[in-house]
Amino acid sequence: MIIVLKPDVTKKQFDHVLERIKALGLKPMVSKGTERTIIGVIGPEDALRVQPLEVIPGVEKVMAVLKPYKLVSREFKPQSSVIDVGGVKVGGKELVVMAGPCSVENRQMLFDVAKAVKQAGAQVLRGGAFKPRTSPYSFQGLGEEGLKLLREVSKEFGMPVVTELMDARDLPLLEKYADIVQIGARNMQNFELLKEVGLTQKAVLLKRGLSATITEFLLAAEYILSQGNFNVILCERGIRSFETHTRFTLDLNAIPVIKKLSHLPVIVDPSHATGEWEYVEPMAKAAVACGADGLMIEVHPNPEVALSDGPQSLLPKKFAAMIKELRKVAKAVGRTI
Ligand code: PEP
Ligand code: MN
């Protein structure tokens, strides 16, 4: 259920509504908009049918939410969310570009990439320290050493860092070294991991699962919000289809669909979606054109020798040229980079 309060609700009435919800054994989640306050009610809702809240002064209406998710929905929060990550705002007019290598390999390459992408216009530095590799024999990442390098280089260039968390036991490390915790596609339905990051206030970049429907994707985000962490950024990164020319199929439909259903910002990762550097720019342009709030792009100074995802990584020079082109598309849709 979602409870919409009257515009002129008093503090006393508001507190009373919260008390009633708690007394019924339910959990209230409050969304304060510029015009209205909305309360999402979490828990078994049958109690509300027996003791309706409509009769309480200050309550305008009580709505049943037909969708399976609540807190991520636009019914709960009509205005789009803007997630502030160390001063970088994700979901505003300015598009946010998160760029860097697939994996942190060593200090020098991370430094070189960070310098180049920052100069080109990227605001956030990406890099994996814990890598979800399909084969157990592939490079698994530098672990804590990689996180330390990320922190050091990000400080040098004043860029917030996004990096992946695969194991809840590493969360304290990420809380220490990262600004955005990435939950990768393969962990999108690792519900215990989602609950753990939901208990923090760290920004979370949640990537869409390889075979997840949009509803499943939004329900995964709901797990995080339901624990109290509303700082969630969604990322469309391609889904499995019958097509084999590209690594995955970038589902750009998901952008306007999610924008309609949810208040959360959505970015697009054309690097993992296509798997080939040549297709990254055209799909990045398409993503900006259809309303994405930002991009995640893999960049490597020498893709030939990359320890992971070389074929889809852009050379720094190519990345800079792409950003210039993207600025034109952004302008055409009323955004900036
Ligand atoms: C990544 O961003 O490094 C990554 C592994 O992406 P995904 O989880 O989308 O495959
Ligand atoms: Mn990668």
Side-chain angles (χ1 to χ4, degrees):
M1 296 276 181
I2 284 177
I3 298 164
V4 182
L5 300 180
K6 288 182 178 157
D8 58 355
V9 65
T10 64
K11 168 92 174 63
K12 208 172 153 199
Q13 290 169 334
F14 172 67
D15 288 342
H16 180 62
V17 176
L18 292 187
E19 266 167 39
R20 285 295 306 134
I21 293 169
K22 287 180 197 160
L24 291 167
L26 302 164
K27 188 169 146 194
M29 302 291 261
V30 178
S31 158
K32 277 201 167 126
T34 42
E35 282 165 28
R36 283 194 194 253
T37 297
I38 298 174
I39 305 172
V41 182
I42 309 286
E45 292 171 348
D46 290 353
L48 284 179
R49 280 182 256 282
V50 186
Q51 299 187 0
L53 294 172
E54 279 102 333
V55 295
I56 301 178
V59 172
E60 185 166 288
K61 59 181 169 183
V62 179
M63 299 181 331
V65 185
L66 299 175
K67 301 189 184 86
Y69 42 81
K70 213 174 288 187
L71 305 176
V72 304
S73 74
R74 275 216 189 260
E75 283 92 339
F76 174 64
K77 186 169 181 286
Q79 66 279 28
S80 296
S81 289
V82 177
I83 313 295
D84 191 325
V85 186
V88 174
K89 294 185 170 59
V90 188
K93 187 171 181 245
E94 185 177 0
L95 299 171
V96 173
V97 180
M98 307 184 185
C102 177
S103 306
V104 176
E105 297 174 7
N106 57 63
R107 191 185 185 281
Q108 191 60 47
M109 69 84 75
L110 188 64
F111 185 92
D112 292 347
V113 173
K115 188 174 175 192
V117 298
K118 166 91 184 186
Q119 206 168 25
Q123 301 97 319
V124 177
L125 179 65
R126 70 145 283 148
F130 297 103
K131 295 304 301 176
R133 305 307 300 279
T134 301
S135 163
Y137 308 119
S138 301
F139 176 59
Q140 303 285 308
L142 294 181
E144 185 171 1
E145 176 59 23
L147 295 179
K148 283 184 183 162
L149 290 175
L150 275 168
R151 186 77 283 168
E152 185 194 332
V153 172
S154 83
K155 242 188 212 162
E156 186 121 12
F157 294 102
M159 299 172 89
V161 161
V162 56
T163 193
E164 181 163 353
L165 171 74
M166 296 208 297
D167 186 328
R169 289 171 293 186
D170 294 321
L171 184 52
L173 279 182
L174 265 86
E175 286 198 85
K176 185 168 161 198
Y177 296 115
D179 302 289
I180 308 175
V181 174
Q182 177 171 322
I183 302 292
R186 290 154 192 84
N187 271 316
M188 189 208 80
Q189 284 188 316
N190 183 339
F191 302 117
E192 292 307 315
L193 195 58
L194 298 176
K195 284 192 224 164
E196 287 295 326
V197 294
L199 290 170
T200 74
Q201 282 304 308
K202 273 272 175 202
V204 178
L205 180 76
L206 178 65
K207 298 188 96 177
R208 182 176 179 184
L210 276 50
S211 304
T213 64
I214 291 171
T215 298
E216 287 163 344
F217 189 20
L218 292 176
L219 278 167
E222 184 84 9
Y223 262 93
I224 304 172
L225 272 71
S226 68
Q227 299 301 312
N229 187 355
F230 279 65
N231 300 315
V232 175
I233 304 158
L234 302 172
C235 179
E236 162 59 42
R237 47 77 71 212
I239 51 174
R240 277 261 154 88
S241 77
F242 51 78
E243 184 51 65
T244 54
H245 273 84
T246 48
R247 192 175 173 188
F248 293 94
T249 295
L250 182 57
D251 179 18
L252 286 179
N253 292 347
I255 307 306
V257 171
I258 292 172
K259 285 267 153 205
K260 182 175 161 185
L261 298 174
S262 174
H263 55 86
L264 296 175
V266 197
I267 71 163
V268 166
D269 172 355
S271 303
H272 290 90
T274 62
E276 269 188 61
W277 71 267
E278 265 185 281
Y279 305 137
V280 170
E281 178 170 335
M283 297 321 288
K285 284 180 179 164
V288 171
C290 74
D293 294 304
L295 295 162
M296 170 171 265
I297 310 281
E298 286 189 341
V299 180
H300 197 285
N302 189 1
E304 237 180 81
V305 297
L307 295 180
S308 58
D309 288 350
Q312 69 197 31
S313 299
L314 294 182
L315 283 164
K317 230 168 109 181
K318 178 74 195 146
F319 174 78
M322 179 184 78
I323 296 291
K324 272 195 186 149
E325 290 301 305
L326 287 174
R327 287 202 170 108
K328 297 180 203 162
V329 184
K331 191 167 175 223
V333 292
R335 311 285 290 259
T336 56
I337 298 184

